[in-house]
Amino acid sequence: MQILEIVEKVADVINQEKDYLSELDRVIGDSDHGVNLSRGFQKLIEEKDGLKNLNYSDFFNRIAMVLISNVGGASGAIYGTGLMKVAQSLKGKENLDLDTVIIASDAMVAGIKMRGKAEAGEKTMLDTIIPSVEALKQNKDKDLSVILENVELAAKTGMESTKDMLATKGRASYLGERSIGHIDPGAMSSYLIIKTICENLKVGE
């Protein structure tokens, strides 16, 4: 499956789940995470012709720019910065082999940490993304189907772990102890993205 097709699948899932994501955000945030993220991904689909035939670096840089410009709140800037770092890591790369994907994934994490000033365990999207990247590294020598299953499972486990965490970043941190007991919306949207990517790569095996 082509990478642009996967972006379209992700956009579809985020659009389908936008109300759920915004409901998660209503409890501990601004109530707009799903709507904002969906708007950004729908803009990507509107501009998909401009994404065709780009090299990998330019492709991810363009996605970053669209999300930064169209997703309100902190999410657009955070996802966008992560994707800009991905784009930088892919300069001159013509093939997305597993080692290159791992390098790009590490760059994504570094970008999100830098922009969000966050680390794992602080009830953010990193609690989904970091375990999935670690699973990718730990399973890199296995069959693709096994890699994808473990990456998706790690992302799910990480996302679910945010429910019992105390938020120390973003608007949710203002709630203090009341943030405990709720899944972080950014962790959930990251899980949906990772899950959709894994499912569609399985189809494309």
Side-chain angles (χ1 to χ4, degrees), residues 9-187:
K9 296 289 187 182
V10 169
D12 286 343
V13 169
I14 294 297
N15 188 54
Q16 290 166 15
E17 301 293 340
K18 65 183 178 184
D19 292 338
Y20 172 57
L21 292 171
S22 289
E23 176 58 24
L24 290 178
D25 198 33
R26 183 189 66 77
V27 181
I28 60 173
D30 289 336
S31 308
D32 57 3
H33 181 64
V35 173
N36 282 342
L37 201 56
S38 179
R39 181 171 62 242
F41 274 100
Q42 291 308 306
K43 188 66 174 177
L44 277 176
I45 302 309
E46 290 173 17
E47 299 188 9
K48 68 179 182 179
D49 288 345
L51 293 168
K52 293 176 180 177
N53 304 317
L54 294 178
N55 61 48
Y56 288 122
S57 180
D58 290 344
F59 181 87
F60 282 101
N61 195 61
R62 181 58 189 153
I63 289 177
M65 292 298 99
V66 171
L67 292 182
I68 289 172
S69 299
N70 293 278
V71 178
S75 297
I78 292 172
Y79 273 120
T81 300
L83 289 166
M84 286 174 66
K85 293 297 184 182
V86 169
Q88 291 171 13
S89 77
L90 293 176
K91 282 186 177 178
K93 303 289 186 182
E94 295 182 2
N95 297 300
L96 283 184
D97 58 26
L98 195 53
D99 287 334
T100 301
V101 171
I102 288 172
I103 291 169
S105 299
D106 279 336
M108 178 92 178
V109 169
I112 292 171
K113 284 183 174 182
M114 179 186 74
R115 187 65 181 83
K117 297 181 174 60
E119 297 290 338
E122 295 186 309
K123 201 180 182 86
T124 72
M125 64 179 67
L126 286 172
D127 295 304
T128 295
I129 297 171
I130 290 176
S132 68
V133 174
E134 290 306 309
L136 180 62
K137 294 175 182 177
Q138 292 165 9
N139 293 276
K140 60 175 288 190
D141 296 324
K142 298 177 182 175
D143 291 340
L144 179 58
S145 60
V146 176
I147 294 172
L148 295 172
E149 286 171 9
N150 281 289
V151 167
E152 184 180 333
L153 178 59
K156 182 179 182 182
T157 302
M159 173 271 292
E160 290 174 341
S161 75
T162 66
K163 185 172 183 178
D164 298 321
M165 290 180 184
L166 174 71
T168 59
K169 297 294 177 183
R171 184 169 291 274
S173 65
Y174 302 160
L175 297 176
E177 295 286 336
R178 286 181 293 149
S179 67
I180 297 173
H182 305 285
I183 291 172
D184 178 71

